[in-house]
Amino acid sequence: MKTVYKFLKDLRQNNNREWFNDNKERYLEVKAKVDDFTQSLINRLSEIDPDAARLSPSDCTYRIYRDTRFSLDKTPYKTHIGIYICPKGNKKSYRAGYYVHLEPGNSLMAGGSWCPPAPLLKEIRKSIYDNVDEYLEIIENPEFRSVYKQIGNDLLKTAPKGFPKDWEHIDLLKPRDYTTYAPVADSFMTSGNAVDSIFGYMKIQKPYNDFINFILDESPWLDTPR
């Protein structure tokens, strides 16, 4: 993976089509390495979540080309590589999955459900409200907390509609994204045992994902287009 990070560093310094075309063979080598890396992660995750075995790297990885149509930033290429492994879905799913972010100086592990539409978000919040002891047991587990220090993102300033403002755990219902984040050193991703290390984070993440997915898998809103 060190060659992947070297390419991303060089791309950051030369984010233009001419340089990319001159280095297209390097990119294709990087893409092949990332695909192999992703397949190794899928294989390991399948040990604890057999549904992951149905996935291929193309189900989990993203194009390096940026969509600049509605962006002020017109640089043509992403300078990171994202891998999202969602055992019962794919990279566009609202189901909670496992995210690996490869970016020099900004590597991280993450998981959960990102940017669910309003009906799904309401159902997640209701599940937490109705099963708060179970949810707290997961997110307050010392091993979980030691890894995923940020839980939930894009917080509301007040209680969401339909829930009592004076509920003692109301802050648990304020995120708009039910995601977890764990920044890691680049060396975490480039070491020889990176797959094992990432799998360790996934095992810690799994109870959180299972909690979120329990309600999402039964929701009629799950297949809403992203």
Side-chain angles (χ1 to χ4, degrees):
M1 294 300 288
K2 290 182 180 179
T3 57
V4 173
Y5 272 72
K6 178 64 167 63
F7 176 81
L8 291 174
K9 287 179 181 177
D10 291 345
L11 179 58
R12 181 185 291 171
Q13 298 298 318
N14 302 276
N15 199 333
N16 61 77
R17 290 181 176 83
E18 182 178 7
W19 182 91
F20 190 86
N21 289 335
D22 288 344
N23 289 269
K24 190 65 174 289
E25 288 302 316
R26 281 183 68 192
Y27 168 67
L28 293 176
E29 292 175 5
V30 163
K31 185 178 185 303
K33 286 183 181 294
V34 170
D35 284 348
D36 289 344
F37 186 69
T38 303
Q39 187 62 59
S40 296
L41 293 175
I42 290 170
N43 294 344
R44 290 304 305 275
L45 182 58
S46 298
E47 297 174 14
I48 59 172
D49 196 331
D51 287 315
R54 54 177 281 279
L55 297 171
S56 67
S58 63
D59 296 317
C60 308
T61 54
Y62 301 87
R63 288 164 49 88
I64 199 166
Y65 308 96
R66 294 184 64 249
D67 184 351
T68 61
R69 290 174 299 172
F70 308 107
S71 174
L72 294 178
D73 179 2
K74 298 301 180 181
T75 51
Y77 307 105
K78 300 171 187 174
T79 55
H80 68 272
I81 292 172
I83 302 168
Y84 185 59
I85 305 178
C86 185
K88 287 188 177 181
N90 55 39
K91 59 195 172 189
K92 294 184 178 181
S93 179
Y94 292 113
R95 289 183 176 93
Y98 307 84
Y99 180 68
V100 181
H101 187 84
L102 311 176
E103 182 179 6
N106 190 36
S107 300
L108 62 88
M109 292 292 303
S113 179
W114 177 75
C115 205
L120 284 181
L121 182 57
K122 184 176 181 179
E123 291 184 17
I124 293 173
R125 288 170 172 157
K126 186 175 186 305
S127 182
I128 293 172
Y129 183 78
D130 291 341
N131 304 279
V132 67
D133 290 341
E134 179 185 351
Y135 187 71
L136 286 171
E137 185 176 355
I138 294 169
I139 67 172
E140 292 182 352
N141 178 284
E143 185 179 39
F144 185 92
R145 274 294 187 183
S146 70
V147 172
Y148 296 107
K149 294 181 170 56
Q150 181 180 341
I151 303 168
N153 192 36
D154 193 11
L155 305 182
L156 297 173
K157 293 182 179 180
T158 187
K161 185 178 179 180
F163 297 93
K165 295 181 180 180
D166 59 351
W167 187 47
E168 61 178 317
H169 302 297
I170 194 62
D171 286 348
L172 299 178
L173 307 184
K174 290 181 179 180
R176 293 187 179 93
D177 296 323
Y178 277 89
T179 47
T180 61
Y181 294 88
V184 297
D186 293 349
S187 57
F188 178 93
M189 299 295 189
T190 60
S191 69
N193 63 346
V195 171
D196 291 337
S197 299
I198 292 170
F199 178 59
Y201 274 56
M202 289 175 169
K203 286 195 293 185
I204 296 171
Q205 173 75 31
K206 188 174 186 298
Y208 185 88
N209 283 357
D210 288 346
F211 181 94
I212 300 296
N213 285 334
F214 181 80
I215 182 63
L216 294 192
D217 286 344
E218 301 299 322
S219 173
W221 298 97
L222 184 60
D223 295 323
T224 302
R226 185 180 281 279

